[in-house]
Amino acid sequence: MHPNIMPSKSVNNLKTVTSRLIRKEFSQHLKSYFWEPVLWTRAYCLITAGGAPLEVLKEYIQNQERPEK
């Protein structure tokens, strides 16, 4: 991402565009699940990895302990 772009604005744009496209393509199916034209919540999580390769990140995530159910 360009340093002049605020991460919150970028995430907001991504969520807006994907919501619009998903609601357009799957409108009939989503009608029974969503009563308002909102697909995403306002919350988001943005994590940086300092340039670590994708395989290293995948391995790190897969090796995390999972809570007991």
Side-chain angles (χ1 to χ4, degrees), residues 53-69:
L54 188 55
E55 287 305 316
V56 171
L57 297 174
K58 284 180 182 179
E59 183 180 337
Y60 175 79
I61 292 169
Q62 290 170 349
N63 290 329
Q64 295 300 300
E65 292 198 21
R66 291 177 174 74
E68 300 273 336
K69 289 187 178 184

Side-chain angles (χ1 to χ4, degrees), residues 21-38:
L21 292 172
I22 290 170
R23 286 184 291 120
K24 183 178 179 182
E25 185 170 344
F26 301 103
S27 63
Q28 290 299 96
H29 180 73
L30 294 174
K31 274 185 193 177
S32 58
Y33 298 101
F34 296 96
W35 295 272
E36 295 188 23
V38 178

Side-chain angles (χ1 to χ4, degrees), residues 7-19:
S8 60
K9 293 286 185 188
S10 181
V11 170
N12 185 46
N13 288 339
L14 176 66
K15 289 168 76 172
T16 299
V17 170
T18 57
S19 177

